[in-house]
Amino acid sequence: MASAREIKNRIKGVQDTQKITNAMYLIASTKMQRAKTELDKSHPYFDASRAEVKRIFRTVGDIENIYYYPPEGTPKLDGAYACLVITADKGLAGSYNQAVIKEAQKLLDSHADTRLFVVGEYGRQYYARHHIPIEQSFLYTAQSPTIQWAREITEVLMALYDEREVEKIYVVYTDMKNRLSREAITHRLLPFHHTYFADTFEKERPVTKKFEFVSSVDQVLAAAVRSVVAGFLYGALVDSFCCEQSARMEAMDAANRNAEKILDGLSVQYNRIRQGAITQEITEVSAGAKAQKRKHAQSDAAAEKRVWGDYKKGGASWAQE
């Protein structure tokens, strides 16, 4: 059984760990709020880009372009796929990373010819340990994503798409539904379907004049598509980062609650040992006092016996005299 000193040292260790988890909770909360603020600031620009693509469709009519499915349906594309997997740089975030890995594995299982592109150290390490080949690992930190990173990733992926080396581009990331709900999802980036732009600015003013495209509508669409894809990737990076921080906050909060339970149990155990030690000390003192009392009583009895013996001897001698 552990001694009181050992339990006291363990209590101190748990309390020190709890200070760290509390600090990590506050840091994660601050990072998440900052990232969401930056994303909210960029929304108007990317919403406007998406709306412009819709206006081109409304102006020109049916457009045949490699970036879009035809209006009449979604033909099956059996070529290679590109899949961007967005993970975190570290753990301590509950099941956040594992949920993304499992979601990406579904695409790998359903389509073997899938080329992986990874953001985040956790994903890089996971695929390296499991000997799963990676087409390219973007050596950006998953912390504090920027629009410049999103544009660079967009150029790499769309270069493969333009050369027809891949038929589809997917991104696997964690979507933040709200502060308490998140979900790892797979989203097809390219090709777009016309309905993707159907709900953008439903009450916008009608187009009354034809647009003039320089040098061609295909080139204008190609530029607009890059902006839309970059905007979506930036949103996916920020969403994933926010979800990571939210998951870390939950993990740290759970760690704090577990620490409180451990401290409660250790406190009870420490108090029992301390009370047992105090009881033992009281028992020892009481036993010592009783022993001393018996000893004194025995000494007094012996002294009284000697006095009585001397008295008796003295009485006998007096009687003879």
Side-chain angles (χ1 to χ4, degrees), residues 40 58 60 79-80 107 143 161 168 188 190 246 259 276 293:
D40 292 340
R58 294 173 61 197
V60 179
L107 182 60
Q143 309 292 314
Y161 190 85
K168 293 182 181 180
R188 189 188 73 245
L190 288 176
S246 175
K293 187 175 182 181

Side-chain angles (χ1 to χ4, degrees), residues 162-277:
D162 291 340
E163 296 295 329
R164 309 311 295 163
E165 294 186 29
V166 295
E167 295 289 341
K168 293 182 181 180
I169 298 177
Y170 287 91
V171 57
V172 179
Y173 71 104
T174 309
D175 184 31
M176 193 168 193
K177 305 296 184 183
N178 53 58
R179 190 181 180 89
L180 300 176
S181 176
R182 57 188 176 273
E183 179 185 8
I185 62 174
T186 301
H187 180 85
R188 189 188 73 245
L189 277 176
L190 288 176
F192 290 120
H193 196 276
H194 288 238
T195 56
Y196 178 73
F197 303 94
D199 60 346
T200 305
F201 294 170
E202 294 180 356
K203 296 182 180 180
E204 64 180 344
R205 66 180 186 275
V207 177
T208 57
K209 295 182 180 180
K210 294 289 185 179
F211 288 161
E212 181 179 352
F213 300 98
V214 179
S215 61
S216 68
V217 64
D218 287 337
Q219 290 186 354
V220 172
L221 277 175
V225 164
R226 275 169 167 74
S227 179
V228 173
V229 171
F232 187 92
L233 284 181
Y234 177 62
L237 289 168
V238 175
D239 258 353
S240 294
F241 177 70
C242 290
C243 290
E244 176 195 349
Q245 302 309 317
S246 175
R248 183 162 291 116
M249 289 170 61
E250 290 184 7
M252 295 303 102
D253 184 56
N256 288 334
R257 291 197 301 270
N258 290 335
E260 290 294 339
K261 292 180 181 179
I262 293 174
L263 288 174
D264 290 342
L266 290 174
S267 296
V268 171
Q269 188 177 357
Y270 177 78
N271 290 334
R272 286 177 179 173
I273 293 177
R274 188 74 185 119
Q275 289 171 359

Side-chain angles (χ1 to χ4, degrees), residues 72 77 81 96 115 139 177 203 257:
E72 63 273 7
L77 302 175
Y81 294 172
Y96 167 79
R115 301 162 70 172
L139 299 178
K177 305 296 184 183
K203 296 182 180 180
R257 291 197 301 270

Side-chain angles (χ1 to χ4, degrees), residues 48-199:
S49 299
R50 186 175 167 186
E52 289 306 314
V53 175
K54 177 185 176 182
R55 294 180 69 189
I56 293 173
F57 281 130
R58 294 173 61 197
T59 303
V60 179
D62 293 340
I63 302 174
E64 293 184 3
N65 190 283
I66 63 171
Y67 301 119
Y68 304 94
Y69 280 123
E72 63 273 7
T74 56
K76 187 176 181 180
L77 302 175
D78 296 325
Y81 294 172
C83 178
L84 176 68
V85 182
I86 302 175
T87 63
D89 288 330
K90 55 186 177 181
L92 298 177
S95 61
Y96 167 79
N97 288 299
Q98 284 299 321
V100 176
I101 296 296
K102 289 180 181 179
E103 186 66 21
Q105 189 61 42
K106 294 178 183 178
L107 182 60
L108 292 174
D109 293 339
S110 63
H111 193 85
D113 192 6
T114 298
R115 301 162 70 172
L116 287 176
F117 298 81
V118 179
V119 173
E121 186 62 28
Y122 187 96
R124 287 191 286 269
Q125 295 295 332
Y126 175 86
Y127 289 121
R129 288 196 308 270
H130 291 78
H131 307 290
I132 299 175
I134 298 176
E135 185 73 15
Q136 181 173 344
S137 179
F138 296 103
L139 299 178
Y140 309 129
T141 175
Q143 309 292 314
S144 303
T146 66
I147 184 59
Q148 182 60 34
W149 298 349
R151 289 195 175 108
E152 292 175 4
I153 296 172
T154 298
E155 289 302 321
V156 172
L157 296 178
M158 293 200 65
L160 295 174
Y161 190 85
D162 291 340
E163 296 295 329
R164 309 311 295 163
E165 294 186 29
V166 295
E167 295 289 341
K168 293 182 181 180
I169 298 177
Y170 287 91
V171 57
V172 179
Y173 71 104
T174 309
D175 184 31
M176 193 168 193
K177 305 296 184 183
N178 53 58
R179 190 181 180 89
L180 300 176
S181 176
R182 57 188 176 273
E183 179 185 8
I185 62 174
T186 301
H187 180 85
R188 189 188 73 245
L189 277 176
L190 288 176
F192 290 120
H193 196 276
H194 288 238
T195 56
Y196 178 73
F197 303 94
D199 60 346

